[in-house]
Amino acid sequence: MACCNSLRAVTTDIPLSLYVHLPWCVRKCPYCDFHSLPGRGSALPEKAYVQSLLVDLAGLSDVLAARPLRSVFFGGGTPSLFSASAIGDILAGVARIGSLAPDCEVSLEANPGTVEAGRFQGFRDAGVNRLSLGVQSLQDHHLARLGRIHTAADARRAVELAAGAGFRSFNIDLMYGLPEQTVDEARADMAWVLDATAAHISLYELTIEPNTAFAHAPPTLPAEAVRGDIEACVQDMAAEAGFRRYEISAYAQDGFRCRHNLNYWQFGDYIGIGSGAHGKLSDETGVWRETRTRDAQAYLHDPHHDRTRRRIPSHTLWWEFLLNGLRLTEGFRLADFRATTGLADECLTERLQPAVRSGLVELGADRVCATPRGVRFLDSILAPLVPDDRTTE
Ligand SMILES: C[S@@+](CC[C@H](N)C(=O)[O-])C[C@H]1O[C@@H](n2cnc3c(N)ncnc32)[C@H](O)[C@@H]1O
Ligand code: SF4
């Protein structure tokens, strides 16, 4: 099938976000494969890292000049290890080099083990308007098994502090399918989360990622049938409480979807700065992936060290779009597929015919989405479609 690519001048209409990676954590959780390094307090090279981030960002001033940022996301790692003044310095630098849309969403990930009174208020004063709290569980024995640095009481306090600092828009990350977890325990966690006034919840089933401590010494997970019951329980409770599932793991009250993550799933553009960050940018010549070195020391010394920029070839561009777009329960508009990839509809629609016939995908005149069964078995849609050669040019 011939897939032609012609993005032409539409690229300035593609929304632009900024991801800032702050890779330090107090200690590594045994399930986590995110790029994170041990460190806290005076061990953090906070000032030098902020400098490097801003040098990194200045290298993309041409991209920033053409489009205001619709969202900024401080992710990690544990961004809440950074001081409010460091976050403020980064945001001031971002506003100097580029511009933030008037309603720009500015999110920051926080670990409940790293917050003391005043810190959330400081983040808010620095310009953060959305927090994402890594609660994970409300039961001490599960938190200990997950290697978390906080207790359930710390998690409750962090939620109180977030609400007390005036964050209406905050997210709670909750994990389920934990080692030896029962349905009743998961139900109790979810009941507490639904009571906690968060407007957004991310529900993640524990997955054993390669190269993590759990992969080397696997914990005893609940039996498959129990995991299924736990999943059904937490999902039903979210729906009954008025949280709409809009992506595989994301649930929000009306008006509180995460704009930043939506931009990834809708194949928008994003700049990624910081050690180990990656970005996706479009111009009239195509769609590009950028990466930054994972070596934090090298990044501190020279943020452009080992930076890569590769064009996504048109014969895999449709795939990259699909991987993201099908995660959304509402799917995507074909008009957006054309606008963000420059490809013709047939590149996608012809490939999706078998999944349509199997009842996994719905193909409308201008919209594509996975059916409820398709959302559940997303891999069954995607696995047969993996392009032979996914390397970048
Ligand atoms: C970068 S971390 C969040 C922020 C912060 N570092 C923390 O842990 O509190 C993003 C979220 O991904 C989820 N997560 C990470 N690894 C996971 C795994 N192997 N299985 C399921 N969820 C996972 C956790 O809920 C975690 O809060
Ligand atoms: S605190 Fe978050 S980023 Fe850090 S190791 Fe744990 S899950 Fe990973």
Side-chain angles (χ1 to χ4, degrees):
M1 188 180 315
C3 276
C4 59
N5 189 6
S6 57
L7 269 171
R8 288 188 292 277
V10 293
T11 47
T12 48
D13 294 335
I14 298 177
L16 181 69
S17 293
L18 170 67
Y19 175 77
V20 184
H21 194 72
L22 305 179
W24 288 277
C25 288
V26 174
R27 71 165 185 249
K28 189 80 189 167
C29 303
Y31 56 86
C32 176
D33 74 343
F34 286 83
H35 172 47
S36 63
L37 312 159
R40 82 180 302 168
S42 55
L44 287 187
E46 195 178 86
K47 263 201 156 67
Y49 195 69
V50 171
Q51 275 311 106
S52 294
L53 288 171
L54 296 180
V55 170
D56 191 352
L57 194 65
L60 288 156
S61 54
D62 54 334
V63 177
L64 284 160
R67 287 175 273 180
L69 290 166
R70 63 181 247 152
S71 66
V72 179
F73 195 100
F74 292 95
T78 305
S80 51
L81 281 173
F82 271 58
S83 66
S85 67
I87 299 297
D89 289 346
I90 298 169
L91 286 172
V94 172
R96 246 189 342 264
I97 300 166
S99 64
L100 284 79
D103 57 347
C104 185
E105 176 191 271
V106 183
S107 305
L108 180 139
E109 285 182 338
N111 182 319
T114 62
V115 272
E116 66 272 356
R119 186 169 282 245
F120 282 169
Q121 190 60 54
F123 289 143
R124 198 165 156 75
D125 295 344
V128 174
N129 52 30
R130 182 176 184 275
L131 283 180
S132 179
L133 303 173
V135 165
Q136 323 304 0
S137 167
L138 276 309
Q139 291 166 45
D140 285 338
H141 65 288
H142 284 305
L143 290 169
R145 188 71 184 89
L146 291 174
R148 299 292 294 178
I149 56 166
H150 59 89
T151 60
D154 295 332
R156 291 193 180 92
R157 195 166 143 273
V159 168
E160 268 169 34
L161 288 174
F167 284 100
R168 169 72 184 99
S169 179
F170 66 88
N171 166 62
I172 290 181
D173 282 345
L174 186 74
M175 290 166 72
Y176 64 90
L178 306 179
E180 298 175 58
Q181 188 180 38
T182 64
V183 178
D184 283 345
E185 286 176 332
R187 185 180 296 116
D189 275 1
M190 194 61 191
W192 190 88
V193 168
L194 291 172
D195 237 21
T197 70
H200 193 287
I201 305 172
S202 301
L203 294 175
Y204 298 111
E205 179 173 16
L206 173 65
T207 51
I208 307 298
E209 303 290 346
N211 299 318
T212 58
F214 272 180
H216 297 302
T220 310
L221 296 180
E224 201 179 325
V226 178
R227 291 210 305 277
D229 288 348
I230 290 176
E231 181 163 272
C233 170
V234 293
Q235 289 180 351
D236 289 352
M237 286 175 78
E240 277 160 26
F243 282 84
R244 206 184 298 256
R245 183 186 196 188
Y246 67 100
E247 188 264 350
I248 302 281
S249 312
Y251 298 72
Q253 289 176 347
D254 286 347
F256 288 98
R257 294 176 178 203
C258 176
R259 210 183 275 190
H260 185 84
N261 288 339
L262 266 176
N263 194 38
Y264 293 151
W265 298 319
Q266 291 172 338
F267 216 53
D269 279 356
Y270 57 97
I271 293 170
I273 56 170
S275 167
H278 28 96
K280 176 226 162 217
L281 291 169
S282 316
D283 63 20
E284 57 291 342
T285 64
V287 184
W288 300 80
R289 289 258 177 236
E290 289 198 343
T291 63
R292 304 285 188 273
T293 178
R294 287 169 68 91
D295 179 339
Q297 284 311 320
Y299 184 85
L300 279 165
H301 185 65
D302 170 15
H304 300 301
H305 172 82
D306 211 13
R307 184 172 143 180
T308 67
R309 190 163 201 267
R310 295 202 175 91
R311 199 166 90 99
I312 307 175
S314 49
H315 65 273
T316 61
L317 197 50
W318 62 272
W319 162 257
E320 302 239 357
F321 181 96
L322 197 63
L323 268 184
N324 287 285
L326 282 186
R327 297 182 65 90
L328 292 165
T329 53
E330 288 173 2
F332 53 87
R333 293 183 330 136
L334 283 168
D336 293 333
F337 172 70
R338 293 191 294 273
T340 54
T341 61
L343 300 173
D345 291 356
E346 297 71 49
C347 291
L348 207 57
T349 51
E350 287 184 17
R351 290 181 165 98
L352 284 172
Q353 289 307 327
V356 173
R357 284 194 292 276
S358 314
L360 296 170
V361 165
E362 230 172 79
L363 191 56
D366 187 38
R367 183 168 282 282
V368 177
C369 69
T371 61
R373 200 159 67 85
V375 170
R376 197 147 168 242
F377 300 108
L378 209 51
D379 280 351
S380 316
I381 304 174
L382 295 170
L385 295 176
V386 181
D388 291 342
D389 174 13
R390 294 179 54 200
T391 51
T392 44
E393 282 171 348

